[in-house]
Amino acid sequence: MSTKYEFPKGILWGTATAAHQVEGNNINSDVWVMEHVPETPYVEPSGDACDHYHRYRSDIALLAELGFNSYRFSIEWARIEPEQGKFSLAVLEHYRDMLRVCHEHGITPIVTYHHFTSPRWLIASGGWESPQTPDRFARYCERATQYLGDLIGVACTINEANIASLIMEWGFAPPPRQLHKEAWWKATAKALGISPRRFSPFLYATSSKATDIILTAHRRAVEAIKSAAGNFPVGITLALQDIQAGEGGEKRAARMSKVINDVYLDSLGGDDFVGVQSYSRVRSGPQGLLPPEEGVELTQMGYEFWPEALEATIRYAIARTNLPVIVTENGIAATDDTRRVEYIRRALNGVTNCLNDGLDIRGYTYWSAFDNYEWSLGYRPTFGLIAVDRETQERTVKPSARWLGNIARANGIE
Ligand code: BGC
């Protein structure tokens, strides 16, 4: 017989999106340029995405109706500051209205200031290798917070600050020297008016200098947000994997944890929380990543179906930082929605284990609210609780959305 587990009062139950992946036509961003050079590695451009820029009212109402009490979305720097130093009041007003709509529906907005995309002008002036970027980022955060701060519930400065280190460490991108010779890289740099060597978009900012710049940008952003009327919790989010050692892989696994996780986690003193984003586990052999273990189910992304990674990463993040955790992303790309329910059920089981041990977890955010633009993989992977028709933009609620929404509403699980 099952019993009901009650979550602590006040937990945020939400879903997440990112501007570029759902809004549509983010034309002033660097990723838009990457998507459109003839040699692009992106399988398709983002186009109208989910047209969330225009449909946010009904989208947010739908999330509230499903039972969620928070919504994590990002505001787009490339729209707010389309030219250096020129801030668009119309765009700020747009995001202000999104925040207003959240509050009208009893939804706490979790706002991310940077989710992978950057303004073209920033990248054209050195991007995430430029020592001026932290100041520029802080100035944008300050302006945005002055305009929006009274309505923000929780703020994340930078999404997955460690993503470039992870991409490099796992060999998902070639080393810089090789990368700079690739046709799409050269074409994008040219389109932005810089040399291939100076082209440094966020996802490929892999040098140790870039890591410093990203972490400095975070620190400066926290100060800027707090001084500009930011009276809400501020933190960063990290892509945390449950890194396990395969046979003989202990040393390499330790190195991976250090480069991908610890460098970042150890620098977060003074933040109000850490945003844990977890999807799967990885195993390391002596030379690097091992392929998925035989017999383990794979997700649409090719990751192992491993929801237990969430518990492991929450425990790891708290042990390292002693900060409260908000699960800012956790999810699965699957065509079979019953697998999504099973994935979330097991992930939440991990959350309850942590809570039972007295760990401070303030929220659970499923990635993603909608089937949306999965970067270079286009629209094929479907992470959403809500499907989106690519022609008509019609939203269809999946059973997993109702299932998780009911847990959110009840603040409890059977
Ligand atoms: C990112 C999202 C992405 C998701 C699924 C995270 O790394 O923050 O933008 O869509 O994972 O791959």
Side-chain angles (χ1 to χ4, degrees):
M1 203 180 76
S2 65
T3 48
K4 186 156 174 232
Y5 178 90
E6 293 210 13
F7 289 91
K9 275 207 180 78
I11 284 220
L12 296 172
W13 288 101
T15 62
T17 60
H20 191 83
Q21 295 175 268
V22 292
E23 285 183 343
N25 302 299
N26 187 18
I27 61 173
N28 274 318
S29 70
D30 55 345
V31 175
W32 184 269
V33 182
M34 287 187 219
E35 287 168 21
H36 288 86
V37 292
E39 303 83 348
T40 183
Y42 284 65
V43 301
E44 57 187 322
S46 50
D48 285 338
C50 302
D51 194 28
H52 189 57
Y53 198 81
H54 300 107
R55 293 169 195 258
Y56 63 94
R57 286 199 184 88
S58 47
D59 285 344
I60 293 169
L62 176 58
L63 295 172
E65 189 192 307
L66 285 168
F68 296 103
N69 66 13
S70 79
Y71 175 42
R72 175 173 177 245
F73 61 93
S74 71
I75 55 174
E76 182 56 55
W77 188 1
R79 290 190 200 271
I80 293 176
E81 193 180 359
E83 294 297 335
Q84 185 173 182
K86 305 269 183 281
F87 292 85
S88 165
L89 288 182
V91 172
L92 283 167
E93 191 45 42
H94 163 88
Y95 288 122
R96 200 168 163 80
D97 195 50
M98 274 186 88
L99 293 165
R100 242 184 249 126
V101 173
C102 286
H103 289 288
E104 278 165 23
H105 290 283
I107 285 202
T108 300
I110 305 180
V111 173
T112 304
Y113 285 67
H114 186 276
H115 194 124
F116 294 173
T117 45
S118 306
R120 290 180 189 221
W121 63 261
L122 185 94
I123 303 303
S125 56
W128 293 92
E129 290 270 350
S130 163
Q132 288 171 304
T133 290
D135 281 349
R136 290 171 170 162
F137 183 57
R139 182 182 55 178
Y140 147 69
C141 290
E142 187 182 20
R143 287 296 281 269
T145 310
Q146 280 163 352
Y147 207 90
L148 308 170
D150 58 322
L151 297 179
I152 290 176
V154 175
C156 308
T157 55
I158 297 180
N159 180 67
E160 297 192 340
N162 60 337
I163 188 78
S165 299
L166 181 154
I167 287 174
M168 185 50 70
E169 177 65 23
W170 291 352
F172 290 171
R177 241 189 241 161
Q178 211 177 312
L179 191 61
H180 297 169
K181 289 191 190 131
E182 292 199 0
W184 75 272
W185 186 270
K186 290 202 278 194
T188 314
K190 191 167 170 214
L192 289 162
I194 44 169
S195 72
R197 276 192 50 214
R198 280 202 75 215
F199 177 41
S200 184
F202 185 79
L203 289 170
Y204 296 91
T206 54
S207 68
S208 56
K209 184 176 159 203
T211 302
D212 281 351
I213 287 169
I214 289 169
L215 287 173
T216 309
H218 165 63
R219 284 262 69 76
R220 298 285 328 276
V222 174
E223 288 158 20
I225 293 169
K226 298 243 178 213
S227 68
N231 190 21
F232 41 77
V234 185
I236 200 169
T237 85
L238 297 174
L240 296 177
Q241 256 74 14
D242 177 9
I243 300 173
Q244 301 181 0
E247 211 184 313
E250 289 76 10
K251 258 199 186 155
R252 186 67 191 243
R255 184 198 126 106
M256 272 187 194
S257 283
K258 184 160 181 254
V259 177
I260 301 176
N261 299 336
D262 305 353
V263 168
Y264 297 86
L265 288 167
D266 295 353
S267 74
L268 303 185
D271 285 7
D272 297 319
F273 69 92
V274 52
V276 168
Q277 313 205 154
S278 162
Y279 288 88
S280 186
R281 71 161 181 178
V282 292
R283 293 178 317 125
S284 172
Q287 310 304 331
L289 278 195
L290 293 173
E293 197 168 7
E294 223 171 286
V296 177
E297 175 182 348
L298 298 183
T299 74
Q300 258 185 321
M301 296 291 281
Y303 306 156
E304 288 180 330
F305 183 101
W306 205 270
E308 286 68 30
L310 182 60
E311 176 173 352
T313 51
I314 291 173
R315 288 187 188 277
Y316 194 87
I318 293 182
R320 209 86 211 173
T321 62
N322 211 17
L323 290 174
V325 157
I326 298 177
V327 177
T328 38
E329 284 184 28
N330 175 244
I332 178 178
T335 45
D336 177 355
D337 196 50
T338 63
R339 299 313 289 151
R340 190 176 339 275
V341 169
E342 177 61 8
Y343 180 94
I344 304 172
R345 195 186 61 71
R346 277 164 53 182
L348 288 180
N349 193 39
V351 172
T352 61
N353 290 341
C354 294
L355 287 166
N356 285 338
D357 285 347
L359 299 184
D360 188 353
I361 303 172
R362 309 264 168 105
Y364 175 85
T365 318
Y366 178 80
W367 181 274
S368 177
F370 306 102
D371 288 342
N372 62 36
Y373 186 65
E374 182 54 24
W375 307 106
S376 62
L377 302 178
Y379 289 100
R380 193 190 63 88
T382 47
F383 280 92
L385 295 174
I386 299 166
V388 176
D389 185 296
R390 300 258 22 93
E391 293 297 314
T392 64
Q393 293 287 353
E394 193 191 334
R395 274 61 171 150
T396 306
V397 171
K398 301 181 191 177
S400 55
R402 302 222 181 269
W403 177 81
L404 183 58
N406 286 340
I407 292 172
R409 190 178 287 110
N411 199 36
I413 188 168
E414 291 295 330

